[in-house]
Amino acid sequence: MLKRGYRPGTTGQGGAAAVEFAFVLAIMILLVSGLFEFGRVFWFYDALAKSTRDSARMLSMTEVTGLSAGVSQAQSMVVTAASQARLSGVTAAKVSVRCDDDYSDTTDYACTDSRFTVANPPVRVIVGITGYSITVGGILPMVRQDGSTWAPFSLGLSPKTTMPYMK
């Protein structure tokens, strides 16, 4: 005699599959949220690094007599590139533009310093971003194993590009 509710050919495992799916779904959501946030941080850093690279390239091709104007143009280029990449909070005050007169020390100077002349041009230019941070977990909160969420935290990004002075 057949038991009531029993269908021949079934194993009675339908509920177990649903429970397994719930466990796998929770892990997949954790992985996807982590990948999303990591990708967003990587995208921000790459956009900032590209803006400093383009700016340093432009500044490395500027005549020594035009370095003071080149500094403000370099800062403007970084701010414009960051805003085109839809990154907010990048201002000219956060863009550091420095020049170096030799490779023997680690001291950088303002590109407008009187030591840089046509006879003694800088050896390299350094363009970087300081004081910029991104909030990780602000868009897609990360979930802990106990079900609570991590508080969003701030991660500082400070890309810097150094290029040889070409003029």
Side-chain angles (χ1 to χ4, degrees):
M1 182 164 196
L2 293 174
K3 291 183 181 179
R4 184 174 201 157
Y6 176 74
R7 286 186 275 159
T10 62
T11 60
Q13 297 290 322
V19 170
E20 290 171 1
F21 176 72
F23 285 128
V24 170
L25 182 64
I27 291 170
M28 292 301 291
I29 288 173
L30 284 171
L31 286 174
V32 168
S33 66
L35 285 172
F36 176 81
E37 288 294 329
F38 174 75
R40 194 169 70 89
V41 169
F42 187 74
W43 171 50
F44 274 51
Y45 186 85
D46 186 53
L48 293 171
K50 182 185 180 314
S51 68
T52 61
R53 187 174 50 245
D54 293 344
S55 179
R57 184 178 298 123
M58 181 277 306
L59 194 60
S60 72
M61 301 297 290
T62 303
E63 295 287 340
V64 174
T65 56
L67 277 177
S68 61
V71 168
S72 61
Q73 186 178 1
Q75 290 172 329
S76 175
M77 280 181 69
V78 171
V79 171
T80 301
S83 67
Q84 287 175 345
R86 297 187 181 163
L87 306 181
S88 61
V90 179
T91 62
K94 292 182 180 181
V95 180
S96 167
V97 180
R98 309 290 288 168
C99 290
D100 193 3
D101 61 348
D102 62 7
Y103 289 108
S104 64
D105 64 1
T106 58
T107 305
D108 302 330
Y109 302 96
C111 292
T112 57
D113 195 287
S114 61
R115 75 181 63 240
F116 302 120
T117 62
V118 175
N120 184 31
V123 174
R124 57 187 174 171
V125 296
I126 302 122
V127 179
I129 297 175
T130 57
Y132 186 80
S133 62
I134 178 176
T135 302
V136 177
I139 292 181
L140 191 60
M142 308 239 203
V143 181
R144 294 183 182 179
Q145 288 179 338
D146 63 0
S148 64
T149 59
W150 273 313
F153 62 93
S154 184
L155 180 67
L157 301 178
S158 54
K160 179 171 76 170
T161 301
T162 302
M163 284 203 173
Y165 187 72
M166 306 300 274
K167 283 285 185 176

